Amino acid sequence: MKHTTLDIKDLIIIEPEVYKDDRGFFYESFNTQSFFKVVGLNVSFLQDNHSFSKKNVLRGLHFQKEPKPQSKLVRVISGKIFDVAVDIRKDSPTFLKWRSVILSAENKKQFWIPDGFAHGFLTLSDYAEVCYKASNNYDQNLDDGIIWNDSLLNIDWPQVDGFILSDKDKNLKESKIVFNL
């Protein structure tokens, strides 16, 4: 398993070894021992999520607050997305900095996003199916987020013909409000 550590501490892009032949391909989408070796943590995943999104759907930027923050291991099984993680650890030197990666069924990359990050993505293909493991179960009372076009974050989203957002995501607050800055 190849991996790339990004310049924001703890964000990692994982590339599994894919075995291809004339029948198709095979790869381990998750192996506990290999994963723990790469991230340096013993993470327990409690929930698997699977979303289907049409082109130009933007989901996020979501996070779950203490005491049950969610780490996520994100991958795409069909289509292509622009995936974003934002550092929301107030004591971090990269607080409110973001990084992105293109995840697709074709490249089979996975994005490790530990707790302390907000997460969102934009569907670039006609549709995308995104699967991710979460380290804590969803808790509606701890669910929070930052508006996708936050002026402090200044995320460089790909240009598309109109973003499609849920009502919830349209009404998320700016980071300066969420974090009392």
Side-chain angles (χ1 to χ4, degrees):
M1 168 188 309
K2 283 183 12 182
H3 67 281
T4 305
T5 303
L6 300 182
D7 62 338
I8 294 180
K9 189 177 183 316
D10 301 323
L11 287 179
I12 301 171
I13 299 170
I14 299 171
E15 296 181 63
E17 189 169 347
V18 180
Y19 303 94
K20 296 180 183 179
D21 62 25
D22 58 346
R23 299 170 298 157
F25 69 84
F26 169 85
Y27 71 96
E28 288 182 344
S29 61
F30 181 76
N31 177 303
T32 301
Q33 190 173 23
S34 299
F35 177 74
F36 292 167
K37 191 181 293 184
V38 167
V39 301
L41 298 169
N42 186 356
V43 178
S44 296
F45 291 112
L46 302 182
Q47 184 172 315
D48 276 1
N49 299 317
H50 184 147
S51 72
F52 175 90
S53 300
K54 297 176 182 178
K55 187 173 188 161
N56 299 345
V57 166
L58 192 152
R59 295 183 184 264
L61 301 159
H62 304 142
F63 63 93
Q64 191 160 290
K65 298 182 283 193
E66 295 286 350
K68 296 180 183 178
Q70 288 184 321
S71 297
K72 298 174 182 175
L73 180 61
V74 184
R75 69 187 179 108
V76 171
I77 61 171
S78 66
K80 180 172 149 180
I81 65 170
F82 177 82
D83 204 42
V84 176
V86 178
D87 189 347
I88 58 170
R89 302 170 295 184
K90 282 190 167 182
D91 60 343
S92 170
T94 53
F95 178 60
L96 296 184
K97 301 295 184 206
W98 60 273
R99 291 298 173 263
S100 65
V101 62
I102 299 293
L103 300 179
S104 69
E106 186 176 305
N107 71 23
K108 297 176 184 39
K109 291 179 180 180
Q110 299 178 21
F111 199 11
W112 167 243
I113 305 169
D115 57 25
F117 285 82
H119 173 247
F121 67 86
L122 172 66
T123 304
L124 300 174
S125 51
D126 288 338
Y127 65 90
E129 290 189 69
V130 178
C131 293
Y132 59 96
K133 296 183 169 305
S135 63
N136 266 308
N137 291 314
Y138 174 75
D139 186 327
Q140 182 178 1
N141 297 317
L142 300 174
D143 185 37
D144 208 343
I146 304 167
I147 190 77
W148 68 277
N149 59 352
D150 183 278
S151 59
L152 292 178
L153 301 181
N154 199 25
I155 295 173
D156 189 15
W157 296 98
Q159 296 299 309
V160 298
D161 292 332
F163 295 106
I164 302 169
L165 292 100
S166 69
D167 287 340
K168 171 189 163 184
D169 288 350
K170 287 178 187 174
N171 292 309
L172 291 173
K173 305 284 187 247
E174 291 256 342
S175 59
K176 60 187 171 191
I177 295 169
V178 173
F179 298 109
N180 298 316
L181 300 177

